[in-house]
Amino acid sequence: IIYSILLSQHNKAARPVGYAESKASTNSAWSSRNMGVLGTIILIFLVVHLQGFWAKMHWGEVPMVTYGEEEYKNLFLIVSEAFKQEWLVALYVISMGFLGFHLS
């Protein structure tokens, strides 16, 4: 994130005067012209994902399950309960689409 901000500032400083004629659609792909928007949406997705699963796994109260003689945190239950929420499923599907555009 920091590198992308620094790179954008460097690019603007390298050419302080804009082009006389700009035909962005012929010079670049939609995804490359919208990296800032795509990156912001992906950042929001990452925060939601890490808060909902990673942080909960490490510091949240997670029910335990026993396999054989070993006891483990029941992470399957956390995931299955989370994906019963339609808005979260929609967020994941949309975010994966944006991630694909961002990486392309």
XYZ file of all heavy atoms in Angstrom:
833
model
N 0.838 -1.195 0.000
C 0.000 0.000 0.000
C 0.870 1.241 0.000
O 0.653 2.167 -0.782
C -0.957 -0.013 1.209
C -1.944 -1.160 1.088
C -1.680 1.308 1.337
C -2.730 -1.424 2.341
N 1.866 1.252 0.877
C 2.765 2.408 0.961
C 3.529 2.566 -0.350
O 3.676 3.678 -0.858
C 3.719 2.260 2.158
C 2.920 2.331 3.460
C 4.808 3.313 2.132
C 3.700 1.949 4.689
N 4.000 1.444 -0.902
C 4.737 1.507 -2.154
C 3.873 2.046 -3.293
O 4.344 2.838 -4.112
C 5.281 0.121 -2.520
C 6.158 0.134 -3.739
C 7.395 0.758 -3.726
C 5.731 -0.453 -4.919
C 8.184 0.790 -4.853
C 6.506 -0.434 -6.051
C 7.748 0.190 -6.014
O 8.515 0.217 -7.138
N 2.610 1.662 -3.340
C 1.740 2.155 -4.416
C 1.496 3.656 -4.276
O 1.429 4.381 -5.279
C 0.425 1.394 -4.434
O -0.328 1.669 -3.282
N 1.367 4.152 -3.053
C 1.206 5.597 -2.837
C 2.456 6.337 -3.259
O 2.396 7.360 -3.961
C 0.847 5.881 -1.368
C -0.549 5.352 -1.054
C 0.937 7.376 -1.064
C -0.886 5.357 0.423
N 3.629 5.831 -2.861
C 4.890 6.470 -3.242
C 5.091 6.452 -4.759
O 5.547 7.439 -5.343
C 6.062 5.787 -2.539
C 6.132 5.958 -1.035
C 7.250 5.100 -0.449
C 6.323 7.420 -0.666
N 4.744 5.357 -5.391
C 4.879 5.254 -6.841
C 3.959 6.239 -7.552
O 4.362 6.892 -8.523
C 4.592 3.828 -7.303
C 4.750 3.544 -8.785
C 6.185 3.782 -9.219
C 4.347 2.102 -9.076
N 2.733 6.381 -7.069
C 1.796 7.342 -7.665
C 2.319 8.775 -7.522
O 2.234 9.569 -8.464
C 0.429 7.236 -6.999
O -0.137 5.983 -7.269
N 2.860 9.113 -6.359
C 3.424 10.448 -6.153
C 4.621 10.677 -7.072
O 4.783 11.755 -7.639
C 3.823 10.636 -4.695
C 2.664 10.737 -3.756
C 3.096 10.782 -2.297
O 4.236 10.484 -1.962
N 2.156 11.138 -1.433
N 5.454 9.653 -7.217
C 6.616 9.761 -8.092
C 6.188 9.962 -9.549
O 6.783 10.780 -10.265
C 7.482 8.507 -7.953
C 8.698 8.498 -8.812
N 9.788 9.292 -8.546
C 8.984 7.817 -9.941
C 10.707 9.088 -9.483
N 10.233 8.187 -10.338
N 5.174 9.245 -9.987
C 4.679 9.383 -11.357
C 4.122 10.780 -11.613
O 4.347 11.370 -12.672
C 3.612 8.336 -11.653
C 4.205 6.968 -11.868
O 5.405 6.822 -12.076
N 3.367 5.953 -11.784
N 3.370 11.328 -10.646
C 2.821 12.675 -10.815
C 3.912 13.731 -10.818
O 3.835 14.720 -11.545
C 1.790 12.965 -9.733
C 0.516 12.207 -9.950
C -0.567 12.615 -8.994
C -1.785 11.750 -9.288
N -3.004 12.273 -8.781
N 4.948 13.531 -10.006
C 6.054 14.494 -9.962
C 6.877 14.442 -11.246
O 7.436 15.459 -11.673
C 6.946 14.212 -8.757
N 6.948 13.286 -11.881
C 7.735 13.139 -13.108
C 7.100 13.876 -14.281
O 7.794 14.317 -15.188
C 7.903 11.661 -13.455
N 5.790 14.052 -14.263
C 5.099 14.767 -15.332
C 4.028 15.652 -14.698
O 2.858 15.276 -14.642
C 4.471 13.794 -16.322
C 3.853 14.527 -17.495
C 3.500 13.566 -18.611
N 2.894 14.269 -19.701
C 3.549 14.789 -20.730
N 4.838 14.662 -20.802
N 2.913 15.420 -21.678
N 4.433 16.841 -14.237
C 3.477 17.720 -13.552
C 2.404 18.296 -14.476
O 1.328 18.656 -14.028
C 4.353 18.816 -12.963
C 5.611 18.789 -13.757
C 5.775 17.391 -14.255
N 2.695 18.393 -15.782
C 1.720 18.909 -16.740
C 1.065 17.725 -17.433
O 1.748 16.826 -17.933
C 2.412 19.826 -17.787
C 1.413 20.321 -18.809
C 3.116 20.965 -17.095
N -0.248 17.707 -17.465
C -0.971 16.597 -18.075
C -0.828 16.578 -19.585
O -0.382 17.547 -20.211
N -1.204 15.488 -20.200
C -1.190 15.364 -21.648
C -2.252 16.276 -22.259
O -3.304 16.503 -21.667
C -1.465 13.919 -22.072
C -0.345 12.968 -21.733
C -0.479 12.058 -20.699
C 0.840 12.994 -22.445
C 0.541 11.182 -20.379
C 1.873 12.125 -22.133
C 1.723 11.225 -21.105
O 2.735 10.368 -20.797
N -1.994 16.767 -23.465
C -2.961 17.629 -24.149
C -4.203 16.834 -24.531
O -5.318 17.344 -24.486
C -2.325 18.258 -25.388
N -4.002 15.590 -24.904
C -5.120 14.736 -25.293
C -4.952 13.390 -24.599
O -3.882 12.792 -24.643
C -5.116 14.532 -26.813
C -6.325 13.794 -27.311
C -6.334 13.701 -28.826
O -5.875 14.633 -29.501
O -6.806 12.671 -29.321
N -6.004 12.952 -23.959
C -5.928 11.698 -23.216
C -7.008 10.734 -23.703
O -8.190 11.040 -23.637
C -6.110 11.956 -21.718
O -6.117 10.744 -21.014
N -6.577 9.611 -24.204
C -7.503 8.554 -24.615
C -7.173 7.321 -23.778
O -6.550 6.385 -24.249
C -7.360 8.257 -26.104
C -7.777 9.400 -26.995
C -7.632 9.025 -28.441
C -8.008 10.222 -29.320
N -7.800 9.923 -30.730
N -7.596 7.373 -22.533
C -7.223 6.325 -21.590
C -7.688 4.942 -22.033
O -6.973 3.961 -21.868
C -7.783 6.646 -20.217
N -8.863 4.848 -22.618
C -9.391 3.538 -22.990
C -8.574 2.878 -24.100
O -8.569 1.650 -24.210
C -10.849 3.642 -23.406
O -10.979 4.489 -24.528
N -7.885 3.642 -24.922
C -7.065 3.040 -25.982
C -5.649 2.745 -25.507
O -4.946 1.957 -26.120
C -6.990 3.961 -27.215
O -6.430 5.212 -26.825
C -8.361 4.173 -27.814
N -5.245 3.381 -24.401
C -3.872 3.222 -23.924
C -3.708 2.199 -22.813
O -2.596 1.732 -22.570
C -3.335 4.565 -23.417
C -3.241 5.587 -24.517
O -3.029 5.230 -25.667
N -3.405 6.853 -24.177
N -4.780 1.904 -22.105
C -4.654 0.990 -20.973
C -5.959 0.260 -20.719
O -7.024 0.694 -21.144
C -4.241 1.766 -19.723
O -5.214 2.737 -19.407
N -5.847 -0.827 -19.981
C -7.018 -1.636 -19.645
C -7.795 -0.980 -18.507
O -7.248 -0.188 -17.730
C -6.573 -3.031 -19.225
N -9.075 -1.334 -18.402
C -9.925 -0.789 -17.346
C -9.329 -1.067 -15.972
O -9.314 -0.205 -15.104
C -11.328 -1.396 -17.452
C -12.239 -0.934 -16.369
C -13.014 0.175 -16.395
C -12.455 -1.551 -15.098
N -13.709 0.303 -15.213
C -13.381 -0.753 -14.398
C -11.968 -2.682 -14.481
C -13.818 -1.069 -13.119
C -12.398 -2.994 -13.205
C -13.319 -2.192 -12.546
N -8.824 -2.286 -15.778
C -8.294 -2.659 -14.464
C -7.062 -1.836 -14.095
O -6.889 -1.474 -12.934
C -7.972 -4.149 -14.418
O -7.070 -4.495 -15.435
N -6.216 -1.502 -15.046
C -5.031 -0.713 -14.710
C -5.385 0.744 -14.430
O -4.703 1.408 -13.658
C -3.990 -0.802 -15.830
O -4.465 -0.189 -17.005
N -6.454 1.261 -15.027
C -6.881 2.633 -14.746
C -7.585 2.751 -13.399
O -7.731 3.848 -12.865
C -7.817 3.139 -15.849
C -7.135 3.352 -17.173
C -8.036 4.077 -18.161
N -9.376 3.535 -18.283
C -9.741 2.562 -19.111
N -8.836 2.007 -19.898
N -10.988 2.150 -19.164
N -8.032 1.653 -12.849
C -8.792 1.664 -11.595
C -8.107 0.899 -10.475
O -8.768 0.356 -9.594
C -10.186 1.097 -11.845
C -10.992 2.009 -12.729
O -11.359 3.098 -12.323
N -11.249 1.579 -13.953
N -6.781 0.882 -10.477
C -6.032 0.166 -9.446
C -6.335 0.702 -8.052
O -6.408 -0.072 -7.093
C -4.528 0.264 -9.694
C -4.027 -0.715 -10.679
S -4.110 -2.373 -10.017
C -3.481 -3.264 -11.365
N -6.503 1.995 -7.907
C -6.775 2.572 -6.593
C -8.097 2.085 -6.020
O -8.184 1.697 -4.851
N -9.135 2.073 -6.851
C -10.448 1.610 -6.407
C -10.398 0.115 -6.098
O -10.892 -0.331 -5.051
C -11.520 1.900 -7.483
C -12.849 1.273 -7.118
C -11.661 3.383 -7.694
N -9.801 -0.660 -7.001
C -9.713 -2.104 -6.795
C -8.905 -2.428 -5.542
O -9.291 -3.282 -4.743
C -9.095 -2.780 -8.017
C -9.912 -2.719 -9.303
C -9.095 -3.235 -10.475
C -11.195 -3.494 -9.160
N -7.798 -1.740 -5.352
C -6.964 -1.966 -4.175
C -7.679 -1.617 -2.888
O -7.542 -2.311 -1.875
N -8.464 -0.553 -2.895
C -9.223 -0.161 -1.700
C -10.271 -1.199 -1.344
O -10.438 -1.567 -0.175
C -9.883 1.209 -1.927
O -8.872 2.165 -2.243
C -10.643 1.658 -0.698
N -10.971 -1.707 -2.345
C -11.987 -2.738 -2.098
C -11.331 -4.011 -1.572
O -11.836 -4.645 -0.636
C -12.803 -3.004 -3.373
C -13.647 -1.774 -3.705
C -13.688 -4.243 -3.215
C -14.297 -1.805 -5.058
N -10.189 -4.369 -2.126
C -9.476 -5.557 -1.663
C -8.981 -5.356 -0.228
O -9.026 -6.282 0.592
C -8.321 -5.904 -2.623
C -8.900 -6.360 -3.968
C -7.418 -6.979 -2.038
C -7.897 -6.436 -5.082
N -8.535 -4.152 0.110
C -8.113 -3.861 1.484
C -9.272 -4.035 2.459
O -9.116 -4.642 3.523
C -7.545 -2.447 1.580
C -7.143 -2.000 2.986
C -6.013 -2.860 3.524
C -6.754 -0.535 2.977
N -10.451 -3.523 2.097
C -11.635 -3.690 2.945
C -11.956 -5.177 3.106
O -12.243 -5.646 4.216
C -12.836 -2.924 2.361
C -12.572 -1.417 2.451
C -14.131 -3.303 3.069
C -13.533 -0.582 1.647
N -11.875 -5.926 2.014
C -12.123 -7.367 2.079
C -11.127 -8.047 3.017
O -11.506 -8.893 3.834
C -12.036 -7.981 0.679
C -11.869 -9.471 0.707
C -12.938 -10.293 1.040
C -10.648 -10.052 0.428
C -12.786 -11.668 1.088
C -10.491 -11.420 0.464
C -11.559 -12.227 0.795
N -9.855 -7.687 2.914
C -8.841 -8.308 3.766
C -9.094 -8.034 5.243
O -8.936 -8.925 6.086
C -7.446 -7.828 3.374
C -6.876 -8.430 2.112
C -5.560 -7.762 1.749
C -6.679 -9.921 2.268
N -9.491 -6.808 5.572
C -9.787 -6.468 6.964
C -10.961 -7.304 7.473
O -10.904 -7.875 8.570
C -10.063 -4.953 7.110
C -10.631 -4.626 8.476
C -8.795 -4.155 6.851
N -12.024 -7.413 6.666
C -13.191 -8.208 7.059
C -12.797 -9.678 7.217
O -13.171 -10.343 8.193
C -14.332 -8.058 6.029
C -15.430 -9.075 6.260
C -14.886 -6.648 6.069
N -12.021 -10.196 6.284
C -11.608 -11.596 6.323
C -10.735 -11.886 7.545
O -10.973 -12.861 8.271
C -10.854 -11.958 5.039
C -10.292 -13.335 5.053
N -11.072 -14.455 4.931
C -9.020 -13.776 5.200
C -10.304 -15.531 4.978
N -9.058 -15.143 5.150
N -9.735 -11.066 7.769
C -8.841 -11.302 8.899
C -9.554 -11.152 10.229
O -9.306 -11.920 11.169
C -7.632 -10.359 8.821
C -6.672 -10.650 7.664
C -5.594 -9.580 7.602
C -6.059 -12.026 7.790
N -10.456 -10.197 10.323
C -11.211 -10.010 11.564
C -12.154 -11.185 11.802
O -12.312 -11.646 12.928
C -11.979 -8.685 11.511
C -12.787 -8.368 12.750
C -14.180 -8.983 12.744
O -14.787 -9.185 11.698
N -14.678 -9.279 13.914
N -12.787 -11.675 10.752
C -13.792 -12.715 10.896
C -13.243 -14.114 11.090
O -13.903 -14.960 11.702
N -12.061 -14.384 10.587
C -11.534 -15.743 10.666
C -10.203 -15.812 11.407
O -10.061 -16.527 12.385
C -11.396 -16.349 9.263
C -12.708 -16.505 8.572
C -13.038 -15.713 7.486
C -13.634 -17.427 9.012
C -14.251 -15.847 6.853
C -14.859 -17.576 8.390
C -15.163 -16.782 7.305
N -9.209 -15.098 10.936
C -7.868 -15.199 11.513
C -7.831 -14.733 12.964
O -7.333 -15.443 13.838
C -6.874 -14.404 10.655
C -5.464 -14.553 11.100
C -4.634 -15.598 10.824
C -4.727 -13.643 11.898
N -3.416 -15.389 11.408
C -3.454 -14.189 12.073
C -5.024 -12.414 12.484
C -2.470 -13.547 12.804
C -4.038 -11.784 13.215
C -2.775 -12.342 13.372
N -8.371 -13.535 13.239
C -8.359 -13.011 14.604
C -9.227 -13.863 15.516
O -8.865 -14.111 16.674
C -8.828 -11.552 14.613
N -10.344 -14.332 15.001
C -11.230 -15.173 15.807
C -10.534 -16.491 16.163
O -10.678 -16.996 17.271
C -12.527 -15.433 15.053
C -13.615 -16.023 15.920
C -14.908 -16.165 15.153
C -15.580 -14.815 15.033
N -16.933 -14.893 14.474
N -9.755 -17.027 15.224
C -9.050 -18.279 15.471
C -7.989 -18.098 16.565
O -7.809 -18.952 17.419
C -8.380 -18.782 14.196
C -7.582 -20.058 14.388
S -6.655 -20.537 12.931
C -5.352 -19.337 12.945
N -7.304 -16.971 16.539
C -6.214 -16.754 17.489
C -6.689 -16.264 18.857
O -6.137 -16.676 19.875
C -5.206 -15.763 16.911
C -4.374 -16.358 15.815
N -3.363 -17.254 16.051
C -4.429 -16.200 14.470
C -2.817 -17.621 14.913
N -3.455 -16.999 13.932
N -7.660 -15.343 18.882
C -8.015 -14.697 20.143
C -9.481 -14.817 20.522
O -9.857 -14.419 21.609
C -7.616 -13.225 20.093
C -6.160 -13.064 19.828
C -5.138 -13.440 20.646
C -5.557 -12.511 18.674
N -3.933 -13.160 20.058
C -4.161 -12.585 18.841
C -6.056 -11.965 17.486
C -3.261 -12.119 17.893
C -5.158 -11.507 16.550
C -3.786 -11.586 16.756
N -10.300 -15.333 19.649
C -11.729 -15.439 19.933
C -12.067 -16.731 20.666
O -11.237 -17.640 20.813
N -13.293 -16.789 21.121
C -13.770 -18.016 21.755
C -14.331 -18.920 20.664
O -15.356 -18.617 20.054
C -14.841 -17.681 22.783
C -14.290 -16.961 23.984
C -15.313 -16.832 25.093
O -16.225 -17.688 25.178
O -15.189 -15.878 25.855
N -13.625 -20.013 20.429
C -13.999 -20.957 19.384
C -14.341 -22.281 20.049
O -13.566 -22.770 20.885
C -12.845 -21.144 18.376
C -13.210 -22.157 17.317
C -12.457 -19.809 17.753
N -15.491 -22.874 19.704
C -15.819 -24.182 20.284
C -14.777 -25.230 19.894
O -14.151 -25.134 18.846
C -17.189 -24.516 19.707
C -17.478 -23.501 18.678
C -16.507 -22.398 18.789
N -14.620 -26.190 20.751
C -13.636 -27.248 20.507
C -14.343 -28.489 19.963
O -15.537 -28.697 20.187
C -12.895 -27.590 21.799
C -12.177 -26.410 22.431
S -10.893 -25.706 21.403
C -9.577 -26.860 21.674
N -13.588 -29.308 19.238
C -14.084 -30.570 18.704
C -12.994 -31.618 18.942
O -11.807 -31.297 18.941
C -14.451 -30.439 17.205
C -13.239 -30.142 16.361
C -15.158 -31.678 16.698
N -13.405 -32.851 19.171
C -12.448 -33.921 19.446
C -12.385 -34.877 18.268
O -13.406 -35.359 17.783
C -12.859 -34.694 20.722
O -12.952 -33.772 21.806
C -11.846 -35.767 21.056
N -11.166 -35.127 17.793
C -10.906 -36.131 16.762
C -9.933 -37.133 17.359
O -8.806 -36.772 17.695
C -10.306 -35.495 15.504
C -11.251 -34.590 14.769
C -11.040 -33.217 14.720
C -12.352 -35.119 14.111
C -11.921 -32.391 14.036
C -13.232 -34.298 13.434
C -12.999 -32.936 13.396
O -13.872 -32.129 12.723
N -10.383 -38.358 17.481
C -9.552 -39.364 18.140
C -9.410 -38.978 19.604
O -10.393 -38.843 20.317
N -8.188 -38.790 20.032
C -7.954 -38.350 21.411
C -7.481 -36.906 21.471
O -7.172 -36.404 22.542
C -6.938 -39.283 22.072
C -7.450 -40.706 22.203
C -6.439 -41.624 22.854
O -5.427 -41.120 23.376
O -6.674 -42.833 22.840
N -7.411 -36.238 20.322
C -6.932 -34.858 20.262
C -8.107 -33.891 20.219
O -9.134 -34.167 19.606
C -6.063 -34.643 19.015
C -4.806 -35.474 18.994
C -3.765 -34.971 19.970
O -3.669 -33.752 20.163
O -3.059 -35.818 20.546
N -7.944 -32.750 20.848
C -8.978 -31.714 20.840
C -8.479 -30.531 20.007
O -7.348 -30.080 20.180
C -9.284 -31.279 22.276
C -10.560 -30.481 22.379
C -10.989 -30.279 23.821
O -10.205 -29.665 24.583
O -12.091 -30.730 24.164
N -9.312 -30.045 19.116
C -8.968 -28.957 18.208
C -10.045 -27.886 18.245
O -11.195 -28.149 18.592
C -8.852 -29.458 16.758
C -7.829 -30.535 16.559
C -8.200 -31.880 16.556
C -6.499 -30.217 16.353
C -7.274 -32.880 16.366
C -5.550 -31.213 16.158
C -5.944 -32.535 16.159
O -5.015 -33.521 15.964
N -9.674 -26.690 17.793
C -10.678 -25.633 17.615
C -11.547 -26.005 16.418
O -11.034 -26.451 15.390
C -10.016 -24.284 17.371
C -9.299 -23.740 18.585
C -8.716 -22.387 18.311
C -8.067 -21.841 19.561
N -7.484 -20.519 19.341
N -12.842 -25.828 16.527
C -13.777 -26.203 15.464
C -13.893 -25.050 14.458
O -14.878 -24.315 14.433
C -15.137 -26.556 16.055
C -16.035 -27.225 15.055
O -15.719 -27.312 13.870
N -17.180 -27.701 15.520
N -12.883 -24.927 13.609
C -12.856 -23.846 12.621
C -13.882 -24.071 11.515
O -14.368 -23.108 10.923
C -11.446 -23.706 12.048
C -10.373 -23.399 13.094
C -8.999 -23.339 12.445
C -10.671 -22.113 13.827
N -14.220 -25.324 11.245
C -15.254 -25.603 10.253
C -16.576 -24.969 10.671
O -17.289 -24.391 9.847
C -15.433 -27.109 10.061
C -16.585 -27.449 9.164
C -16.468 -27.334 7.794
C -17.803 -27.846 9.698
C -17.541 -27.618 6.958
C -18.883 -28.140 8.877
C -18.745 -28.032 7.502
N -16.905 -25.033 11.934
C -18.143 -24.444 12.435
C -18.147 -22.930 12.239
O -19.152 -22.357 11.823
C -18.346 -24.789 13.913
C -19.607 -24.234 14.561
C -20.845 -24.849 13.925
C -19.583 -24.474 16.058
N -17.015 -22.292 12.488
C -16.900 -20.840 12.317
C -17.144 -20.466 10.853
O -17.895 -19.545 10.544
C -15.516 -20.341 12.779
C -15.275 -20.662 14.247
C -15.341 -18.864 12.483
C -16.227 -20.002 15.194
N -16.513 -21.200 9.944
C -16.654 -20.912 8.508
C -18.083 -21.188 8.042
O -18.682 -20.372 7.330
C -15.635 -21.718 7.684
C -15.887 -21.569 6.199
C -14.217 -21.289 8.024
N -18.646 -22.319 8.441
C -19.996 -22.648 7.977
C -21.040 -21.675 8.524
O -21.983 -21.318 7.820
C -20.357 -24.090 8.338
O -20.417 -24.262 9.739
N -20.868 -21.203 9.754
C -21.789 -20.208 10.307
C -21.632 -18.866 9.603
O -22.613 -18.165 9.338
C -21.566 -20.044 11.813
C -22.031 -21.218 12.633
C -23.527 -21.451 12.535
O -24.301 -20.472 12.575
O -23.923 -22.624 12.411
N -20.401 -18.501 9.289
C -20.162 -17.218 8.622
C -20.788 -17.189 7.239
O -21.412 -16.203 6.839
C -18.660 -16.943 8.528
N -20.663 -18.292 6.488
C -21.158 -18.305 5.119
C -22.652 -18.584 5.013
O -23.181 -18.693 3.911
C -20.341 -19.257 4.254
C -18.999 -18.678 3.897
C -17.834 -19.274 4.344
C -18.906 -17.531 3.139
C -16.608 -18.740 4.029
C -17.680 -16.986 2.822
C -16.522 -17.588 3.272
N -23.343 -18.659 6.134
C -24.802 -18.676 6.111
C -25.351 -17.271 5.932
O -26.524 -17.098 5.631
C -25.352 -19.296 7.395
C -25.149 -20.795 7.472
C -25.709 -21.357 8.755
C -25.438 -22.854 8.834
N -25.881 -23.407 10.130
N -24.481 -16.276 6.094
C -24.865 -14.877 5.912
C -24.666 -14.522 4.434
O -23.536 -14.510 3.942
C -24.020 -13.967 6.793
C -24.126 -14.300 8.262
C -23.176 -13.477 9.088
O -22.983 -12.291 8.818
N -22.580 -14.092 10.092
N -25.750 -14.210 3.758
C -25.685 -13.974 2.310
C -24.822 -12.772 1.953
O -24.135 -12.783 0.933
C -27.094 -13.823 1.747
C -27.885 -15.112 1.810
C -29.299 -14.954 1.295
O -29.656 -13.868 0.807
O -30.051 -15.937 1.386
N -24.837 -11.720 2.767
C -24.034 -10.536 2.459
C -22.544 -10.867 2.487
O -21.766 -10.323 1.693
C -24.344 -9.378 3.412
C -23.850 -9.602 4.825
C -24.530 -10.168 5.854
C -22.554 -9.261 5.324
N -23.745 -10.208 6.976
C -22.525 -9.661 6.684
C -21.424 -8.677 4.770
C -21.408 -9.483 7.493
C -20.311 -8.504 5.585
C -20.300 -8.892 6.914
N -22.125 -11.789 3.362
C -20.715 -12.165 3.438
C -20.308 -12.991 2.220
O -19.220 -12.796 1.666
C -20.438 -12.927 4.732
C -18.974 -13.194 5.045
C -18.209 -11.877 5.185
C -18.837 -14.014 6.310
N -21.186 -13.880 1.781
C -20.919 -14.657 0.568
C -20.805 -13.721 -0.628
O -19.887 -13.845 -1.442
C -22.013 -15.719 0.341
C -21.829 -16.423 -0.993
C -22.034 -16.720 1.485
N -21.712 -12.748 -0.728
C -21.664 -11.777 -1.821
C -20.365 -10.973 -1.771
O -19.736 -10.731 -2.809
C -22.877 -10.848 -1.760
N -19.948 -10.564 -0.564
C -18.690 -9.831 -0.419
C -17.514 -10.658 -0.919
O -16.650 -10.145 -1.640
C -18.467 -9.426 1.040
C -17.129 -8.760 1.335
C -17.078 -7.374 0.701
C -16.880 -8.688 2.828
N -17.485 -11.932 -0.576
C -16.387 -12.791 -1.020
C -16.391 -12.964 -2.541
O -15.342 -12.887 -3.178
C -16.463 -14.157 -0.331
C -15.647 -14.212 0.934
C -16.134 -13.641 2.105
C -14.406 -14.812 0.959
C -15.389 -13.676 3.264
C -13.653 -14.855 2.121
C -14.153 -14.282 3.276
O -13.410 -14.311 4.415
N -17.551 -13.201 -3.133
C -17.628 -13.409 -4.582
C -17.211 -12.140 -5.325
O -16.396 -12.179 -6.252
C -19.044 -13.859 -4.994
C -19.207 -13.844 -6.501
C -19.342 -15.239 -4.438
N -17.739 -11.009 -4.913
C -17.401 -9.736 -5.559
C -15.924 -9.410 -5.365
O -15.237 -8.988 -6.310
C -18.310 -8.611 -5.021
C -19.741 -8.842 -5.497
C -17.804 -7.247 -5.439
C -20.769 -7.976 -4.796
N -15.420 -9.636 -4.163
C -14.013 -9.347 -3.884
C -13.079 -10.218 -4.707
O -12.026 -9.750 -5.155
C -13.719 -9.530 -2.398
O -14.445 -8.603 -1.641
N -13.450 -11.474 -4.930
C -12.615 -12.341 -5.762
C -12.602 -11.853 -7.210
O -11.580 -11.929 -7.896
C -13.082 -13.791 -5.684
C -12.871 -14.450 -4.331
S -11.161 -14.464 -3.787
C -11.220 -13.229 -2.492
N -13.728 -11.346 -7.685
C -13.759 -10.750 -9.026
C -12.856 -9.538 -9.116
O -12.068 -9.399 -10.065
N -12.935 -8.653 -8.111
C -12.064 -7.476 -8.089
C -10.595 -7.869 -7.959
O -9.735 -7.239 -8.572
C -12.458 -6.529 -6.953
C -13.734 -5.766 -7.212
C -14.547 -5.394 -6.157
C -14.116 -5.414 -8.490
C -15.721 -4.685 -6.383
C -15.279 -4.706 -8.728
C -16.091 -4.340 -7.667
N -10.325 -8.897 -7.171
C -8.944 -9.366 -7.039
C -8.418 -9.862 -8.382
O -7.273 -9.605 -8.746
C -8.869 -10.470 -5.982
C -7.482 -11.066 -5.729
C -6.524 -9.991 -5.217
C -7.568 -12.208 -4.746
N -9.274 -10.566 -9.134
C -8.859 -11.027 -10.464
C -8.532 -9.862 -11.384
O -7.512 -9.886 -12.089
N -9.377 -8.821 -11.389
C -9.082 -7.632 -12.203
C -7.804 -6.960 -11.726
O -6.983 -6.524 -12.527
C -10.232 -6.619 -12.131
C -11.363 -6.935 -13.039
C -12.644 -7.132 -12.531
C -11.193 -7.007 -14.407
C -13.704 -7.418 -13.353
C -12.235 -7.294 -15.258
C -13.507 -7.514 -14.718
N -7.623 -6.857 -10.414
C -6.448 -6.197 -9.847
C -5.169 -6.937 -10.247
O -4.174 -6.308 -10.604
C -6.582 -6.142 -8.323
C -5.529 -5.336 -7.650
N -5.545 -3.965 -7.646
C -4.450 -5.703 -6.938
C -4.504 -3.519 -6.977
N -3.823 -4.561 -6.525
N -5.203 -8.263 -10.217
C -4.015 -9.042 -10.553
C -3.764 -9.104 -12.058
O -2.626 -9.306 -12.478
C -4.140 -10.438 -9.973
C -4.126 -10.524 -8.450
C -4.348 -11.960 -7.995
C -2.828 -9.973 -7.887
N -4.811 -8.922 -12.858
C -4.603 -8.990 -14.309
C -3.891 -7.738 -14.792
O -3.248 -7.701 -15.779
C -5.925 -9.161 -15.039
O -6.664 -7.953 -15.004
